[in-house]
Amino acid sequence: YLEKDSRIYLGETTIRKIMALNPRLHLAPQRPIAVAEARDRGEGPPKSSRPFEHTFLDIRYLDAKPAGVQLYSTLLLEGLSRTILAGSLTTGQEVGVIPHVYFQALLRWGLWEEVISDHGGQFISHDWVRVNRRLGIHHVMYEKGKPRRNLIESQFGIQARLGECTE
């Protein structure tokens, strides 16, 4: 229209920039905007009001397989500061990894009140229950299908993204 009416020629890139800055200049009819319903995000992880009130524990396999070996990352995360209290990188998901991670964290940080985990086999074993009972640590398992209740899920997401950067 500018060329025909005013003998002004603008390049395609310039026209796109102008149209992006002012959508009312678009000559095409605009589609109605569909408003998506807000997702129910549900309840998040419990918020700690003091150090070592809540800790979060989980075992996750790593996507990267150096030399074809599947590795598993075990992390214990403090809920208030989000400090990783202890961790382990192993080739299996044995129950013995958890007491080892506990021992590392206890030596350096002391005792915590509550640990939150999923329903994995390591977290329902009799050894696991006995260790928590003897240490006086309350164990809570979040509802199945609601990993957002475990603060450590975001930490594993960070690990995955870092692993992608190094490949």
Side-chain angles (χ1 to χ4, degrees), residues 2-162:
L2 287 173
E3 280 184 59
K4 192 190 295 182
D5 297 340
S6 306
R7 295 180 189 197
I8 298 174
Y9 174 77
L10 298 174
E12 185 180 333
T13 306
T14 306
I15 292 172
R16 286 184 186 186
K17 288 179 181 177
I18 291 170
M19 292 176 78
L21 290 173
N22 192 348
R24 293 184 309 201
L25 292 177
H26 292 265
L27 302 175
Q30 296 211 357
R31 293 182 220 147
I33 297 172
V35 178
E37 292 183 30
R39 251 181 38 183
D40 178 27
R41 294 204 172 253
E43 195 176 336
K47 297 197 186 289
S48 296
S49 57
R50 60 190 179 282
F52 302 102
E53 180 180 6
H54 302 291
T55 56
F56 300 87
L57 179 67
D58 203 359
I59 298 176
R60 182 68 46 92
Y61 69 90
L62 300 180
D63 291 331
K65 294 181 182 176
V69 177
Q70 178 66 67
L71 295 175
Y72 296 89
S73 174
T74 305
L75 293 178
L76 180 66
L77 184 78
E78 198 275 322
L80 184 65
S81 66
R82 297 183 183 200
T83 300
I84 296 174
L85 303 177
S88 179
L89 193 60
T90 58
T91 56
Q93 298 186 50
E94 300 88 23
V95 176
V97 172
I98 306 297
H100 178 72
V101 169
Y102 260 35
F103 181 71
Q104 290 175 350
L106 286 167
L107 282 178
R108 178 145 190 219
W109 304 97
L111 200 57
W112 50 91
E113 296 175 30
E114 181 177 78
V115 65
I116 298 169
S117 72
D118 60 11
H119 291 260
Q122 304 84 353
F123 306 121
I124 57 175
S125 73
H126 295 293
D127 294 333
W128 166 254
V129 172
R130 189 173 57 246
V131 165
N132 281 320
R133 189 177 306 127
R134 285 187 178 171
L135 291 172
I137 297 172
H138 183 249
H139 178 223
V140 175
M141 289 187 282
Y142 60 82
E143 293 179 57
K144 289 184 178 182
K146 298 197 177 182
R148 63 182 172 268
R149 297 281 293 139
N150 193 343
L151 189 61
I152 203 141
E153 293 296 327
S154 61
Q155 183 63 38
F156 281 121
I158 293 167
Q159 261 188 352
R161 286 190 295 279
L162 287 173

